[in-house]
Amino acid sequence: MKVLQRASASRYGLATAYLLAAALLAAAPLFTSDFRLNLLAKFLAFAIAAVGLDLLWGYTGILSLGHGVFFGLGGYAMAMHLKLQASGGKLPDFMEWSGLSKLPWFWTLFQSFGMSVILGIAIPSLVALFLGYFTFRNRIRGVYFTILTQALVVISVTLITGQQAFTGGTNGITGYGELFGYSLAAPEMKIALYYVTAAVLVVVLLLSRFLVKSRFGKVLRAVRDGENRVRFLGYNPAKFQMAVFVLSAAFSGIAGMLFVLHVGIISPSMMGIVPSIEMVLWVAIGGRGTLIGAALGALLMNGAKSVFSETYPEIWLFFMGALFIVTTVFLPRGIVGLVADGWHRLRLLGRRRKGVPEHERSRYSAV
Amino acid sequence: MNDHVILRCEDVTVSFDGFKAVQGMNLELKKRGLRFLIGPNGAGKTTLLDAVCGKVKPSGGRIVFQDGIDLARRKEHQIAELGIGRKFQAPSIFPTLTVEENLELAMRQKRGVLATLRTRILSSERKLIRTRLEGIGLGGKGTLRAGGLSHGEKQWLEIGMMLMQEPSLLLLDEPAAGMTDRETDKTGELLQEIAQERAVVVVEHDMEFVRNFASIVTVMHEGRLLMEGTMDQVQADERVAEVYLGKRREATC
C-alpha cells in the first residue's frame, strides 16, 4: 500500500511538472519578444529531432552521428517548396546563375505543399531504411555503424555542395519569405508557426512515450541490453533496429522542415558533421533514455548557446565546451538523471525521519 | 521419420577456418527426456548446440527437427520460433528490464514489430508470469531490475525465460555453473521436471551433477560421438576413462 501511495505521489508531482511545462509553452508568446519567440520555436524544432535520437540511442543503444542528414533532407524539402513559391513560376535564381534553363524534374514534385511535407518525411525515412537494411541485417553495429553514419554525412554534404545547379551548393536554398502567400516574418505567422511546432513536439513526445511503454519499447531496450539474447528468444533484432532508425530519421525530417519555416535558410553546413554531433550532445546532456530529457537538453543547450554568444561573443565557445565536459564527467545520466537522483535522495531523507525500514528505502528501480 | 524423435543430427560437421570442431557427429533425441552431453574440453559439445540453434552453420551433414525441418537453412530467430530454446553458459538476461519484463518478452507470442506495438499484457499472461516467478524461486522480485539479481538468480531467470518460450527442445550450456550446492540440486530437480514434457539437452562438466540427475549420457570426443548410455555404462567404459584420464595426464605435465 505504502509503495502504491508513494508511486502515486511522485506521479502527481510529475503530472504537475508536465502541466506547468505545457502552460509555459502555451503562454510563451504572451511575454516574449518576436525575436525570442522565433528562437524558442527553432529550439522546439531541435527538440523534436532530439526525441527521435533518444529513441534510437537512449532506448535501443544505436549511436547515430548522422542525423544532421535527415534533418537537412527535411529542411531541403520545405525550402524547395518555399523557393518555388517565391520564384512565382520562374526558374529559381540560383539555377539561372548556374546556367539551367528548365526546372529539373524532381523539383516539380515540390510545387505542392502537401507533397513537400510528405517527401520531407519520406525521403529521410527511405535513406534511413536503405542504410539500416544493409547494416542491421548484416549485424553491423556499435562503433562500425556510427562510422557509417558519419560517412553518410560526408557523402550527403559533398553531393549537395557539388550539385550547385540543383541544390544551391554551399549557399543552400534561401531567399523566400512566404507560405501560402502569407509572409513568414509577420508576427501572427510567427506565433502560428510557434504553436504548430510546439504541438508537433507534444505529439512526438506522446507518441514516443506510447512506443517506449509498449512491448515494442521493451524489445528495443532488450536489444540494447543483449541483441543475441533477443535473437534466441525468436525476435529479429534487425527489424526492430530498422523500425526505430527510420522513425527517428522521420522525426529529424519533420524537425528540419519546421526549422526552415522559422529560420528561412537551409544549407549543407546545417546538416554536416558538427550539427550531427551537437544533436547527440543535447540528448546526452538532457539525459539518455528519458525522452523528456532529450527535449530539455535541446532547449537548454541551445538557450545557453544563444545567451553565452550574446553576452560573451569572444569566449562563448569555451563556456559550451566546459558545459559539455562537466555534464559528461559528473552527470552521466544527464540533467534528468540529476533531478531524479536528487528527488530520490530527498524522499529517502523524508522516509528516514519517518522511520521506514532500511530495506524499503534501498528499493530503487531506475528508468 | 520416427514419431518419437524430435531432433536428429546426421553426420554433422562444423569447421572454423579449416579446424573441425565437430566432425561427423550423430545424435538422436526423443520428444521427452533429459539428455546430458559430456566430454573433455574441446570435444565440440557447445559447438554442436550452436549448430542446432543456428549460431553457427554446419559445413556438412543434416540437422533435422520434428517432421523434416532442416535447421541448417534457418536463421537463429526462426529456429527459436520453431520451438528450440537455448541458454548460454554465461547468464544472459536483460539487465535494465525488470524481472517480469524479461519473462514477458520471452513469453510465447507473435514477435513481429507490429505485433509488439499492438499487444497489451493480458491478466491471464500476468498470472502465468507470476506463476513462473514462483516456480524459479523469484516470487516477490518481479519488479526489480534483473541486473541487480545474484549470479544464481540470473541463471534461474534465464531458465524461466526459456520455459516461457514453451520450447519443445531446450539446449542448456552448463546451467549450474557458479551455483552453490543447494542451487545446483534445485536446478537438477527443475530440469528433471521440465524434461517430462519436452526434450532437454544439458552440456555439463560437473560429473557429480550428471551422476545425480542423468538417465542417458552422450559422450563426445574430438568432435565425434564416443558413446551413449546410462551413467553406469559410461563410467565403466574404457575409452571414456582413457579420454578423460589422458587429458588429465596431459594437464599435469
Side-chain angles (χ1 to χ4, degrees):
Chain A
M1 254 339 262
K2 255 185 193 151
V3 179
L4 267 180
Q5 274 166 8
R6 251 177 266 144
S8 65
S10 80
R11 195 167 296 163
Y12 280 130
L14 262 184
T16 322
Y18 280 124
L19 277 179
L20 213 69
L24 262 178
L25 268 185
L30 299 177
F31 54 82
T32 47
S33 67
D34 284 356
F35 173 69
R36 294 274 172 222
L37 188 70
N38 187 231
L39 274 183
L40 183 58
K42 186 172 90 175
F43 301 164
L44 290 178
F46 287 150
I48 293 168
V51 171
L53 207 51
D54 194 23
L55 281 177
L56 183 68
W57 186 38
Y59 286 91
T60 325
I62 301 167
L63 176 59
S64 162
L65 291 180
H67 264 51
V69 169
F70 306 127
F71 182 85
L73 288 172
Y76 269 96
M78 182 57 73
M80 284 161 81
H81 172 71
L82 295 176
K83 189 71 184 171
L84 286 176
Q85 294 297 304
S87 307
K90 278 186 278 181
L91 209 56
D93 47 14
F94 66 86
M95 286 187 188
E96 250 171 65
W97 302 333
S98 306
L100 282 192
S101 55
K102 205 172 140 272
L103 194 67
W105 66 269
F106 62 89
W107 269 76
T108 55
L109 296 172
F110 292 90
Q111 259 148 1
S112 119
F113 177 78
M115 191 63 184
S116 304
V117 170
I118 291 170
L119 288 174
I121 299 171
I123 293 172
S125 303
L126 286 174
V127 172
L129 185 64
F130 179 79
L131 183 64
Y133 183 81
F134 285 105
T135 49
F136 299 134
R137 227 176 43 118
N138 292 313
R139 300 189 191 171
I140 295 169
R141 60 196 143 207
V143 70
Y144 302 101
F145 175 80
T146 306
I147 290 169
L148 280 174
T149 59
Q150 286 265 280
L152 176 71
V153 176
V154 175
I155 292 166
S156 312
V157 169
T158 311
L159 190 72
I160 290 178
T161 312
Q163 300 296 317
Q164 187 160 3
F166 303 110
T167 63
T170 324
N171 301 329
I173 303 180
T174 186
Y176 40 78
E178 283 183 358
L179 179 65
F180 307 132
Y182 297 103
S183 167
L184 285 171
E188 300 80 35
M189 192 64 170
K190 290 253 176 242
I191 291 175
L193 283 175
Y194 167 83
Y195 277 124
V196 168
T197 311
V200 172
L201 175 60
V202 170
V203 169
V204 161
L205 272 171
L206 289 176
L207 176 68
S208 302
R209 204 186 126 78
F210 164 77
L211 291 176
V212 165
K213 296 279 173 197
S214 73
R215 196 168 293 163
F216 173 78
K218 289 171 193 167
V219 178
L220 294 186
R221 276 152 61 205
V223 168
R224 180 187 66 190
D225 282 1
E227 195 181 321
N228 256 323
R229 179 79 269 163
V230 173
R231 197 169 276 129
F232 288 108
L233 283 183
Y235 297 93
N236 184 359
K239 286 199 175 149
F240 287 85
Q241 290 165 321
M242 271 186 249
V244 72
F245 188 46
V246 166
L247 190 71
S248 75
F251 284 178
S252 277
I254 295 171
M257 286 193 276
L258 291 163
F259 171 85
V260 163
L261 289 173
H262 299 307
V263 181
I265 181 171
I266 185 81
S267 78
S269 68
M270 294 164 189
M271 58 194 286
I273 300 254
V274 174
S276 296
I277 293 176
E278 240 179 277
M279 288 161 86
V280 170
L281 289 173
W282 302 333
V283 180
I285 285 170
R288 266 199 287 168
T290 59
L291 294 179
I292 195 75
L296 273 180
L299 293 181
L300 291 175
M301 282 314 297
N302 285 291
K305 197 169 159 182
S306 59
V307 169
F308 287 153
S309 62
E310 281 165 28
T311 327
Y312 312 100
E314 266 106 60
I315 51 165
W316 69 276
L317 265 174
F318 292 98
F319 277 108
M320 297 302 289
L323 202 56
F324 288 150
I325 293 169
V326 167
T327 36
T328 43
V329 172
F330 297 105
L331 306 174
R333 290 172 53 226
I335 296 167
V336 167
L338 178 78
V339 173
D341 287 349
W343 173 247
H344 180 68
R345 256 181 228 148
L346 267 179
R347 283 193 349 193
L348 284 190
L349 271 177
R351 238 175 282 162
R352 202 164 297 162
R353 250 180 245 142
K354 284 184 208 151
V356 179
E358 183 74 37
H359 65 92
E360 284 253 325
R361 260 183 254 142
S362 59
R363 273 184 57 153
Y364 168 42
S365 74
V367 183
Chain B
M1 192 167 172
N2 190 333
D3 283 348
H4 302 296
V5 174
I6 189 163
L7 183 84
R8 205 167 58 209
C9 300
E10 298 167 358
D11 206 18
V12 171
T13 300
V14 180
S15 61
F16 300 112
D17 297 326
F19 167 72
K20 286 185 174 152
V22 176
Q23 34 190 335
M25 177 69 187
N26 291 299
L27 182 72
E28 204 171 79
L29 290 178
K30 297 232 164 63
K31 274 198 169 139
R32 288 175 184 78
L34 181 58
R35 174 74 63 98
F36 277 84
L37 194 55
I38 65 169
N41 281 330
K45 307 176 298 282
T46 299
T47 310
L48 183 67
L49 295 196
D50 285 348
V52 174
C53 75
K55 195 172 176 231
V56 296
K57 291 284 161 224
S59 50
R62 262 158 52 92
I63 305 176
V64 184
F65 182 63
Q66 282 170 347
D67 17 279
I69 303 169
D70 185 1
L71 293 182
R73 294 165 185 275
R74 309 283 176 128
K75 290 195 170 150
E76 295 101 312
H77 65 96
Q78 293 167 330
I79 293 175
E81 274 297 82
L82 286 173
I84 298 182
R86 171 74 197 270
K87 190 197 165 309
F88 293 94
Q89 206 170 330
S92 76
I93 43 131
F94 306 121
T96 63
L97 299 184
T98 67
V99 173
E100 275 175 356
E101 285 171 336
N102 269 275
L103 294 178
E104 182 188 334
L105 291 188
M107 187 172 57
R108 200 172 181 84
Q109 60 184 294
K110 288 200 176 114
R111 300 188 193 274
V113 170
L114 291 177
T116 56
L117 275 173
R118 281 196 293 255
T119 183
R120 280 280 160 273
I121 191 156
L122 306 171
S123 60
S124 63
E125 293 174 337
R126 205 178 289 277
K127 212 177 273 173
L128 184 72
I129 290 173
R130 289 276 148 79
T131 317
R132 187 62 73 205
L133 275 175
E134 297 293 334
I136 54 173
L138 293 177
K141 296 197 170 175
T143 55
L144 295 184
R145 270 162 46 118
L149 297 178
S150 73
H151 179 82
E153 286 172 330
K154 281 180 188 162
Q155 297 274 38
W156 281 68
L157 173 58
E158 199 178 357
I159 294 175
M161 289 164 71
M162 309 274 80
L163 294 177
M164 291 298 285
Q165 273 180 275
E166 295 174 29
S168 39
L169 171 62
L170 194 50
L171 311 167
L172 303 147
D173 208 340
E174 296 195 40
M179 283 188 176
T180 63
D181 287 351
R182 243 189 67 209
E183 286 173 328
T184 305
D185 284 344
K186 264 175 87 181
T187 306
E189 282 158 25
L190 184 70
L191 290 180
Q192 278 187 329
E193 190 190 314
I194 60 184
Q196 315 230 318
E197 299 157 35
R198 54 178 64 82
V200 180
V201 182
V202 180
V203 166
E204 195 47 74
H205 276 291
D206 182 350
M207 285 306 143
E208 181 75 28
F209 184 60
V210 178
R211 210 169 293 129
N212 288 343
F213 296 102
S215 48
I216 305 180
V217 179
T218 299
V219 189
M220 276 183 86
H221 178 55
E222 288 178 344
R224 286 193 190 85
L225 177 69
L226 189 67
M227 76 160 298
E228 210 165 84
T230 63
M231 195 60 192
D232 289 337
Q233 288 171 326
V234 167
Q235 279 178 310
D237 193 275
E238 270 181 32
R239 287 170 304 164
V240 175
E242 195 179 310
V243 163
Y244 272 96
L245 292 176
K247 283 279 160 188
R248 220 166 280 160
R249 216 171 288 144
E250 270 168 41
T252 49
C253 286

